Amino acid sequence: MLVPRMSAPDLMVRTLDHGAFDLARETPTLMTLVCFYRGLHCPVCGGYLKELERLTPSFAERGVTTIAISSDGEERARQMADKIGAEHLRIGYGLPLNVARQWGLYISTSRGKTSIGIEEPELFSEPGVFLIRPDQSIYWLSVQSMPFARPNFNEMVQALDFVIKNDYPARGEYTGAV
């Protein structure tokens, strides 16, 4: 189980327009926001990533780099990038499902075509959002078993202002006996 303040698992994927992404080589001023999404087939993901694309400059102003990653191949990732009008947000693709598991992501099986008429992959990961410090320690995480009711990126931007101002520590780190 991943908890705040522990080291994040290794994460290396290809991106559409920004070369290889390697979390260990990221050099954000404050943190890296890693958004794992279900894939092109997910109508909720499209709207969610549009919001992250819109707010990526606001995250950057606070020293946070952003990337959205799925297990989709390059072609489907490109279709998603086009769909959301990705200009600022890096789009990673080809996430191995065993790596998704290391990140604590839930894995789902295909139910055929979705409401937008796109076939689900045989297996794919469910959503997860992480804030990772430059030393690769986990600051914040949210992992979901469903595509609905995800963390709000606008609220995260506002929360980062508080975090920065107050040097607020990662919470939820205690793993001892209770």
Side-chain angles (χ1 to χ4, degrees), residues 28-33 62-65 131-134 139 160 163:
T29 305
L30 186 65
M31 295 183 222
T32 299
L33 187 157
R62 290 156 178 84
V64 177
T65 60
L131 285 173
I132 309 296
R133 289 195 178 276
Y139 181 78
L160 283 167
V163 166

Side-chain angles (χ1 to χ4, degrees), residues 122-135:
E122 185 178 324
L123 295 172
F124 58 92
S125 63
E126 292 295 339
V129 179
F130 294 77
L131 285 173
I132 309 296
R133 289 195 178 276
D135 67 358

Side-chain angles (χ1 to χ4, degrees), residues 19-151:
F21 172 85
D22 181 348
L23 182 60
R25 296 186 183 275
E26 274 291 285
T27 57
T29 305
L30 186 65
M31 295 183 222
T32 299
L33 187 157
V34 178
C35 176
F36 294 104
Y37 71 99
R38 300 171 84 221
L40 178 66
H41 66 276
C42 176
V44 178
C45 292
Y48 196 58
L49 295 184
K50 273 186 186 179
E51 183 69 356
L52 182 54
E53 163 63 26
R54 184 181 74 77
L55 290 170
T56 286
S58 296
F59 280 108
E61 289 170 11
R62 290 156 178 84
V64 177
T65 60
T66 60
I67 186 166
I69 301 170
S70 77
S71 57
D72 277 349
E74 183 176 6
E75 182 180 326
R76 284 171 66 113
R78 177 67 64 194
Q79 289 176 50
M80 179 61 91
D82 292 345
K83 181 178 183 175
I84 68 166
E87 293 179 31
H88 308 290
L89 177 63
R90 291 176 291 177
I91 305 293
Y93 61 91
L95 176 71
L97 292 178
N98 65 320
V99 174
R101 275 255 168 92
Q102 291 171 9
W103 280 82
L105 301 179
Y106 295 94
I107 309 296
S108 291
T109 58
S110 178
R111 295 185 45 93
K113 286 190 177 179
T114 63
S115 61
I116 56 174
I118 298 175
E119 191 75 26
E120 291 182 347
E122 185 178 324
L123 295 172
F124 58 92
S125 63
E126 292 295 339
V129 179
F130 294 77
L131 285 173
I132 309 296
R133 289 195 178 276
D135 67 358
Q136 271 193 269
S137 64
I138 298 169
Y139 181 78
W140 179 87
L141 67 108
S142 175
V143 174
Q144 296 175 251
S145 63
M146 297 289 281
F148 320 114
R150 301 180 194 195

Side-chain angles (χ1 to χ4, degrees), residues 132-178:
I132 309 296
R133 289 195 178 276
D135 67 358
Q136 271 193 269
S137 64
I138 298 169
Y139 181 78
W140 179 87
L141 67 108
S142 175
V143 174
Q144 296 175 251
S145 63
M146 297 289 281
F148 320 114
R150 301 180 194 195
N152 182 296
F153 290 125
N154 195 50
E155 289 176 9
M156 288 177 69
V157 167
Q158 294 170 21
L160 283 167
D161 290 337
F162 177 85
V163 166
I164 294 164
K165 180 181 176 188
N166 296 288
D167 193 25
Y168 198 76
R171 302 309 311 255
E173 77 289 355
Y174 181 76
T175 59
V178 291

